[in-house]
Amino acid sequence: MSTTLEARETADEAVGTVERRDLTVRPTGSDRAFLATVRASAVSTLVVMALIGLFLTLGAWPALSEAGPSFFTEHRWLPETGHFGIASLLWGTVLIGVFALTVAVPLGFGAALFISEYAPRRVRGSLVALVDLMAAVPAVIYAMWGFFWLQPHLLPVAEWLSVHLGPVLPFLRVSEPDTLSSYTSSAFIAGVAVGVVILPTITSVTREVFSQAPVSEREGAIALGATRWGMIRTVVLPFGRAGMVGGTMLGLGRALGETIVVFLIISPVFTFTTKPLQSGTNSIAPHIAARYSESGGVALSALLGAGLVLFAFTLVINTLAGLVVRRSRSGAATEI
């Protein structure tokens, strides 16, 4: 017994005398080149954004200094008389973006869940490729489709909403509800068209996050007796919360800056559109596209000011989305 204790003490002393060795990895030349490339890419992105902001600020300064705070409250656009502002443009931009998200978010989340959780394996790849192909379609194609096909088919829908829901929701009423022309070129139709444009982006991002939910947690939920929907509700959706927020914000950024689709559908007016089903609205991006070629001096500076506001607005939204994503990292809230 004493021999065994002495052997253990000897072993402990030997272990205690072992020096700790720190493992160091010397980066190779390819590692250093890759790291330098990644750093340069990150820095260049920030530099480009800063240069864009500086260009817009310098170009918009004459108009902003002339208009003052009224640039954000004036709804008229008459640079030659000194009365110009983006109040109605900003309101129309937000209104179209809200309608776009109303259409794209539920459809995108539903499509993402179906592809990642319910679609048969043999057709899943084809559905993923189809969604990616929709995201690659040029915006001008969506614009022509929205103008020539979607708008005529949405006019009866807009009329039905105005007639049946107008008495309950006054903002859905239309001044002349007897003619279908009163519903054309509205914020509602433009928002639905933009919603179709951003649908592939939201679907692709959300599906990719849903598909990365841990298999062990999926199987654990099923083993505990959860149904397919119960597993999705307790595992997949909490895991993909950050991806859902990120995909929504990416879609919103695309919706706020969409130009050709809105430009081809809307009928520009410089008033606050309180009736989204009625003809007439406006947005910042198509307004810049429509007025840029004929503008100069203060008018051009005012357009750059509108672009600066849109740039800052999108930057703030993406920053807030980044904070939300950071606080709800994928997988942090999953539970069985």
Side-chain angles (χ1 to χ4, degrees):
M1 187 68 177
S2 60
T3 305
T4 304
L5 293 175
E6 292 177 357
R8 288 182 178 179
E9 291 176 356
T10 304
D12 292 339
E13 292 176 357
V15 171
T17 58
V18 174
E19 296 181 359
R20 180 178 178 179
R21 299 178 59 186
D22 295 329
L23 298 178
T24 59
V25 179
R26 295 182 178 179
T28 62
S30 59
D31 292 335
R32 286 191 291 268
F34 176 76
L35 182 60
T37 303
V38 172
R39 286 178 176 174
S41 300
V43 173
S44 63
T45 301
L46 297 178
V47 170
V48 169
M49 288 189 61
L51 291 177
I52 292 175
L54 180 61
F55 163 75
L56 292 174
T57 302
L58 294 178
W61 185 252
L64 295 178
S65 60
E66 178 178 341
S70 64
F71 183 76
F72 301 95
T73 59
E74 177 64 56
H75 63 85
R76 293 175 294 177
W77 192 267
L78 299 172
E80 62 277 3
T81 63
H83 298 88
F84 55 91
I86 62 168
S88 60
L89 298 176
L90 190 59
W91 170 251
T93 302
V94 173
L95 193 61
I96 293 174
V98 169
F99 275 110
L101 290 183
T102 303
V103 172
V105 168
L107 292 180
F109 289 172
L113 278 177
F114 176 78
I115 294 174
S116 64
E117 305 299 330
Y118 291 99
R121 190 176 299 273
R122 62 179 180 275
V123 301
R124 188 174 301 170
S126 300
L127 293 177
V128 172
L130 180 61
V131 172
D132 294 339
L133 181 62
M134 288 179 61
V137 173
V140 65
I141 304 300
Y142 284 110
M144 292 188 295
W145 169 79
F147 181 77
F148 292 107
W149 188 88
L150 182 64
Q151 181 167 243
H153 287 78
L154 282 181
L155 293 180
V157 177
E159 183 182 21
W160 186 91
L161 292 174
S162 177
V163 172
H164 293 84
L165 298 182
V168 181
L169 302 174
F171 67 92
L172 295 180
R173 293 179 181 175
V174 176
S175 301
E176 299 177 1
D178 296 334
T179 59
L180 287 179
S181 60
S182 301
Y183 302 94
T184 60
S185 305
S186 63
F188 167 71
I189 296 176
V192 173
V194 174
V196 176
V197 174
I198 66 176
L199 176 62
T201 301
I202 297 178
T203 303
S204 180
V205 174
T206 311
R207 179 205 62 80
E208 184 67 26
V209 177
F210 286 164
S211 63
Q212 294 178 3
V215 178
S216 59
E217 295 188 16
R218 294 171 180 264
E219 295 176 349
I222 298 297
L224 291 175
T227 61
R228 175 66 66 87
W229 169 243
M231 182 271 295
I232 292 174
R233 183 175 55 84
T234 57
V235 176
V236 177
L237 292 181
F239 180 87
R241 186 177 300 159
M244 295 166 67
V245 175
T248 302
M249 292 300 102
L250 284 176
L252 179 58
R254 174 73 186 275
L256 294 178
E258 183 56 47
T259 304
I260 185 63
V261 174
V262 182
F263 175 75
L264 196 61
I265 292 178
I266 65 171
S267 177
V269 294
F270 290 95
T271 58
F272 288 99
T273 307
T274 58
K275 299 181 182 299
L277 298 182
Q278 187 168 313
S279 177
T281 187
N282 215 332
S283 181
I284 292 179
H287 174 71
I288 296 175
R291 297 295 185 97
Y292 181 78
S293 61
E294 61 185 28
S295 299
V298 177
L300 180 59
S301 179
L303 291 178
L304 292 175
L308 177 62
V309 172
L310 182 60
F311 177 77
F313 192 48
T314 306
L315 190 62
V316 169
I317 290 177
N318 290 334
T319 302
L320 294 177
L323 295 176
V324 173
V325 170
R326 187 177 302 174
R327 290 189 176 184
S328 59
R329 292 179 181 176
S330 295
T334 54
E335 58 181 2
I336 298 179

